[in-house]
Amino acid sequence: MKHSFDEKLSYLFDEIGGVDERMLTEAMEYRSAKRSAKVLRTLTAIACALLVTVTGVSVILTNWRGWFVVDGTDSGPSDGAFPSWSTHTLDALLQNARGEASYMLLSSTSDVTYFGEAYLLWQYEDDGAVYQSRALTGEELGRLCTLIADGKAVGDTSPAQFTRVWLTLGNGDVLTPYLPTTPGNISATVFDYEAELIPSDELISCISDILKP
Amino acid sequence: MEDYRIVDLYWARNEAAIAESDRKYGRMLQSLSYSLLSSREDAEECVNDTYLDAWNAMPTARPAYLGAFLSKITRRISVDRWRHIHREKRGGVQSVLEELGECIPAAGGVEEDYENGRLSRELNTFLRLLPTEKRVMFLRRYFYSQSLAEIAEALDVSEGKVKVTLHRLREQLRQRLEEQELL
């Protein structure tokens, strides 16, 4: 029986469809050595780029707070002298003053004394303790209260803040320079606040003076 | 999911088997069918039919290479569909001849070789004796119907090299089949 070309072709085509499944799997999974090497080189390059990026970001995240602080004339403590804490933000001031300011450590806000002396209190984001300044004089307290009222309203975006600050007035009231001194913002519950004000330069300078040991 | 787990799902008559098959091999099967039919809709239907065939085949089949097993079904269904489409396009005469052809008893020759598996064995032997890269080229082209460009990219060689290699392989296969008095 003589078969046409089309029939023969058809048989062959069908038989190719029935070849060993191991060879079919091999055909799909096969990658040439050259291509594998190329893929390996590409992956290595991507890994290196990622490593450089991650290292760079880590360095930036570790140091960025310091980059926004404007140093004063003093470069740092020397001869036991107190450093200049001239900064653009109260947050930066307190970060710079960390470990060097004059303070008393309270374990938490529940240890705060509301009656008697007035104090400046502050807390670091990564630290549950509350730092309490020396007792404020009447003049300092009056000036702080006045300057708090001069704070500028926060814009659409609140500035990054890694510290929280309060002022106990000694009569049971608590203020924070980050909120306007409206009745609702003066109480012991003000320990939990969302910043509405940006403290003025004068206020920052005044607090800087108070924190000096 | 590993192939054997998917096969277990088929054996357990768990419909998740189809979803897992599609997740793992759907794109490859779609590509295989599309390369034969040049129609996304037809290819999609063929792939769906593949899962139905696989569902009916397992049990009793327990393929060790599920991807290849499904590929074979997809290819067969796609080729059948391709033939059906071309038959319709060529008109009724071809269909009548084919119907009459079924009435004629086989009298040896290539059909016999096809039926008793000689052609299949010879083809498998031919492929096994080839160097891996040539075998891969041949099967990617004539089983998976990949284009020369796709093969060249996968094997990181030029299209020209693929073309020349395939030409020589066809020539070798023709000589081998002639020697064996097949086809």
Side-chain angles (χ1 to χ4, degrees):
Chain A
M1 182 180 178
K2 192 164 177 63
H3 292 269
S4 70
F5 176 80
D6 282 351
E7 284 173 315
K8 290 177 181 178
L9 189 63
S10 177
Y11 286 134
L12 182 59
F13 194 64
D14 285 345
E15 282 305 325
I16 290 171
V19 298
D20 191 323
E21 286 171 15
R22 281 170 297 182
M23 289 194 281
L24 294 177
T25 306
E26 172 197 58
M28 281 319 285
E29 292 178 353
Y30 180 82
R31 291 286 178 276
S32 74
K34 267 198 298 180
R35 186 174 170 82
S36 300
K38 194 187 277 183
V39 169
L40 188 64
R41 278 200 303 276
T42 307
L43 288 176
T44 306
I46 291 169
C48 287
L50 272 175
L51 186 65
V52 168
T53 307
V54 168
T55 306
V57 169
S58 302
V59 169
I60 290 168
L61 287 177
T62 307
N63 296 309
W64 76 276
R65 290 182 194 180
W67 296 349
F68 298 101
V69 175
V70 179
D71 286 336
T73 49
D74 293 340
S75 58
S78 59
D79 308 329
F82 199 63
S84 168
W85 287 341
S86 301
T87 66
H88 282 315
T89 67
L90 180 55
D91 195 63
L93 168 72
L94 293 170
Q95 291 288 349
N96 276 6
R98 194 166 191 171
E100 297 186 44
S102 170
Y103 61 83
M104 194 176 96
L105 205 57
L106 308 178
S107 58
S108 71
T109 52
S110 58
D111 292 339
V112 172
T113 307
Y114 295 98
F115 295 95
E117 300 285 0
Y119 298 99
L120 186 75
L121 304 165
W122 70 99
Q123 198 173 27
Y124 296 101
E125 185 189 52
D126 56 355
D127 184 355
V130 176
Y131 295 74
Q132 180 180 280
S133 72
R134 60 171 170 75
L136 302 177
T137 65
E139 187 186 345
E140 286 170 335
L141 182 61
R143 184 162 166 70
L144 284 174
C145 289
T146 306
L147 291 171
I148 285 174
D150 289 345
K152 286 182 290 183
V154 172
D156 291 339
T157 310
S158 295
Q161 197 186 331
F162 302 96
T163 56
R164 300 174 81 75
V165 188
W166 306 275
L167 193 64
T168 53
L169 306 185
N171 62 356
D173 290 343
V174 181
L175 300 180
T176 172
Y178 287 99
L179 291 177
T181 52
T182 54
N185 286 340
I186 302 172
S187 71
T189 59
V190 82
F191 282 102
D192 184 22
Y193 65 81
E194 289 290 327
E196 294 175 14
L197 292 180
I198 298 172
S200 66
D201 291 346
E202 289 84 352
L203 177 61
I204 294 168
S205 175
C206 183
I207 291 175
S208 172
D209 290 339
I210 292 167
L211 297 185
K212 285 178 184 175
Chain B
M1 187 182 274
E2 298 292 327
D3 279 3
Y4 71 90
R5 290 189 188 281
I6 302 176
V7 172
D8 283 345
L9 290 175
Y10 277 105
W11 275 67
R13 313 312 288 157
N14 185 333
E15 289 179 9
I18 291 173
E20 290 299 332
S21 300
D22 192 52
R23 190 170 296 128
K24 190 167 182 183
Y25 296 112
R27 186 180 285 188
M28 180 189 77
L29 300 176
Q30 188 88 17
S31 169
L32 168 58
S33 183
Y34 180 79
S35 66
L36 291 163
L37 296 167
S38 303
S39 159
R40 297 212 177 281
E41 285 172 11
D42 287 341
E44 209 166 290
E45 280 182 35
C46 285
V47 172
N48 289 334
D49 289 348
T50 298
Y51 299 139
L52 181 64
D53 265 27
W55 180 263
N56 291 331
M58 290 182 280
T60 53
R62 188 176 273 283
Y65 304 94
L66 183 63
F69 178 80
L70 295 173
S71 298
K72 278 183 169 181
I73 299 175
T74 301
R75 188 180 187 275
R76 176 175 48 74
I77 292 173
S78 301
V79 169
D80 285 349
R81 179 166 294 226
W82 180 85
R83 284 178 178 144
H84 178 72
I85 291 167
H86 280 250
R87 192 182 304 144
E88 282 183 347
K89 281 182 181 170
R90 274 189 281 177
V93 177
Q94 181 73 21
S95 303
V96 172
L97 285 175
E98 280 173 2
E99 285 168 23
L100 287 174
E102 290 173 10
C103 303
I104 299 169
V110 66
E111 192 166 350
E112 206 169 69
D113 293 328
Y114 175 78
E115 290 292 338
N116 67 23
R118 257 191 81 204
L119 183 55
S120 172
R121 282 196 298 278
E122 199 57 43
L123 190 60
N124 276 306
T125 306
F126 169 76
L127 288 170
R128 277 194 200 101
L129 294 175
L130 288 176
T132 306
E133 192 173 76
K134 289 182 179 178
R135 180 165 58 240
V136 168
M137 275 188 201
F138 186 93
L139 288 174
R140 277 180 178 257
R141 181 64 181 154
Y142 299 114
F143 182 92
Y144 290 104
S145 302
Q146 288 190 336
S147 68
L148 298 184
E150 286 172 322
I151 298 169
E153 195 197 341
L155 274 62
D156 203 31
V157 294
S158 68
E159 272 189 59
K161 184 180 176 183
V162 176
K163 195 173 178 180
V164 169
T165 306
L166 288 172
H167 174 74
R168 288 179 183 154
L169 288 173
R170 287 195 302 269
E171 186 62 25
Q172 282 177 35
L173 179 60
R174 187 184 63 76
Q175 283 177 7
R176 189 176 179 95
L177 295 177
E178 274 178 1
E179 284 166 12
Q180 302 295 323
E181 296 180 340
L182 287 163
L183 292 187

